[in-house]
Amino acid sequence: MSKEKLISKKKPAFPVNQVLYRYLKKHGRTIQIPIFYDDLLRFQGAISVYDKNDNDTLWIRVFYSEFEREEIDTSLKKVYNILLSNGQEDNLKYLNIDAIDFCTFGNSKPFRIKVRNILNDNYTYFYVKKTDASRIYGLELEDMLSPYNLNYLVYEDTLIEEHIAGVPGDVFIKERLEKCTKSEKSQIAKEFVKFNERCLIRLLGDMRSYNYVIVPVHDFENVIYRIRPIDFDQQCYEGRFKVYYPQFFKENFPMVKLVGERLNDSSIEQYKVEERSIIAKRILSSRKRLVHLLKCMKHDHISTPEKIDRLQKEIFDFTKDINFKDCKTMGEILDYTLTFVRRNYEDVSTKRIINLQQRSEKDLKSINNSV
């Protein structure tokens, strides 16, 4: 890898245009909410939040005046119900806003809201952020092309996102990876290969270890691990093709090393093919909605001309697909990338069907001759 930084500058937020907003409205992603991102910026004070090992988490816990806190708490409870329930307010008296945390690190500067049910002490989180077209495209593509569904809402300049549970990748690598058994490490290596391929295909960048979580799932007597992105700001923005490969970030070196130790080349290629095939099937099953989203992206400005030009050239060098040479927007590049994956899948499937038909005809001919 060259010494050039993969990501050299902070990405700006892109506005949600009317075309994208109509898409969101059509697919049930917009609804009026009682509080905006800017309302939460009116905090009067804050303290740093530390983890169990007394390390600074880069989050601060914010405080409001007594009068404003009551109004803000009520509004956030209503947002929670709108996001995760049917919006009714019968249960508001059983909900408590335990904490409002603010993060100045990263692009989105989110507020993290901790909501607790006082009847049983169960709690969950959701996030309040400024809208960013890049992030919204990333959320939609994750919902359509990954194994996971995502719940979020957009209202004017405010984005409400549900919490994605899991162990942050950097924490898992530092504290848990070495404690895993050999079979678990092999499974994690497999999942990282598939995750790497998934990010590449849908052009989701900046998957450093703190931008994804690792989710342990108990399966009979075993524990299997899934990897989920939690940051979608870098959807179709950077010009360097390597930015869309998690394997090229130094923070992921332990995972890359694990892949080299636990998997051979044929297994790695097998898992890549599996992931491409699964994504191709999701493209086909979500075709109408995906076409609508890509149409929005093609007419949207979510990157710079220099980055678009560089990316389309680098992808052309990688695929040799002439379609990439004429791309003028990130939406067009992504459209041809997904078309490339789908076309290859359909070509292989067609060849397999033809081979099966030919074998069936040959077997039938052999039976007839024997009779």
Side-chain angles (χ1 to χ4, degrees), residues 8 16 33 93 105 140 143 163 172 186 192 198 249 274 278 303 312 342 352:
S8 56
V16 177
I33 55 176
K93 59 186 176 181
F105 176 75
E140 278 294 303
D143 191 56
H163 175 64
F172 186 91
S186 295
F192 186 78
R198 193 157 62 241
F249 289 100
E274 286 180 7
I278 291 172
S303 189
Q312 58 100 354
R342 176 182 56 79
R352 185 170 65 249

Side-chain angles (χ1 to χ4, degrees), residues 179-196:
K179 299 176 183 177
C180 292
T181 64
K182 289 183 178 180
S183 62
E184 288 173 343
K185 288 181 178 179
S186 295
Q187 195 274 326
I188 293 169
K190 169 188 173 181
E191 183 63 19
F192 186 78
V193 170
K194 295 169 81 71
F195 174 69
N196 192 73

Side-chain angles (χ1 to χ4, degrees), residues 10-16 107-109 129-135 157 233 237 301-303:
K10 188 175 180 179
K11 185 192 82 69
F14 293 96
V16 177
N107 291 324
S108 58
K109 292 184 171 61
K129 304 176 181 180
K130 276 281 192 181
T131 52
D132 176 13
S134 297
R135 187 174 189 89
D157 64 347
D233 291 330
Y237 173 71
H301 300 285
I302 53 174
S303 189

Side-chain angles (χ1 to χ4, degrees), residues 141 145 196-204 235-239 241 244-245 275-277 279-281 283-284 290 294 297-298 308 310-327 329-346:
L141 290 166
L145 301 181
N196 192 73
E197 193 71 11
R198 193 157 62 241
C199 292
L200 172 67
I201 290 172
R202 44 81 60 91
L203 298 181
L204 177 62
Q235 177 65 55
C236 296
Y237 173 71
E238 289 289 346
F241 195 31
Y244 304 103
Y245 278 101
E275 193 61 30
R276 288 195 291 268
S277 299
I279 291 177
K281 292 176 183 177
I283 291 171
L284 293 170
L290 184 58
L294 291 171
M297 290 187 73
K298 289 178 186 178
I308 294 168
R310 177 169 183 172
L311 184 60
Q312 58 100 354
K313 287 178 179 177
E314 290 192 10
I315 294 184
F316 170 74
D317 291 339
F318 180 76
T319 63
K320 305 304 179 185
D321 188 327
I322 196 68
N323 288 312
F324 289 105
K325 278 201 164 185
D326 298 323
C327 292
T329 66
M330 282 294 185
E332 291 180 357
I333 294 176
L334 179 62
D335 186 20
Y336 284 123
T337 300
L338 298 179
T339 299
F340 182 83
V341 172
R342 176 182 56 79
R343 190 171 61 234
N344 286 345
Y345 168 77
E346 290 177 332

Side-chain angles (χ1 to χ4, degrees), residues 20-112:
L20 177 57
Y21 199 81
R22 284 195 294 269
Y23 167 91
L24 295 170
K25 188 173 182 179
K26 179 178 180 179
H27 295 281
R29 296 298 196 183
T30 63
I31 192 170
Q32 187 171 349
I33 55 176
I35 194 169
F36 295 94
Y37 177 89
D38 288 344
D39 294 328
L40 296 179
L41 290 174
R42 301 198 305 263
F43 53 86
Q44 302 295 310
I47 59 172
S48 297
V49 177
Y50 296 89
D51 64 17
K52 61 182 181 180
N53 298 317
D54 289 329
N55 297 315
D56 192 345
T57 63
L58 302 179
W59 289 83
I60 58 174
R61 186 148 297 165
V62 299
F63 302 97
Y64 301 86
S65 65
E66 184 176 351
F67 170 75
E68 283 198 309
R69 181 62 193 243
E70 182 178 352
E71 180 183 355
I72 286 173
D73 279 12
T74 301
S75 296
L76 290 174
K77 292 175 190 177
K78 292 179 180 178
V79 169
Y80 169 82
N81 274 343
I82 293 170
L83 180 67
L84 297 172
S85 186
N86 58 7
Q88 293 183 353
E89 300 180 6
D90 298 344
N91 68 332
L92 290 186
K93 59 186 176 181
Y94 304 123
L95 299 178
N96 190 69
I97 304 298
D98 276 9
I100 302 174
D101 298 332
F102 180 57
C103 183
T104 58
F105 176 75
N107 291 324
S108 58
K109 292 184 171 61
F111 284 93
R112 181 178 63 196

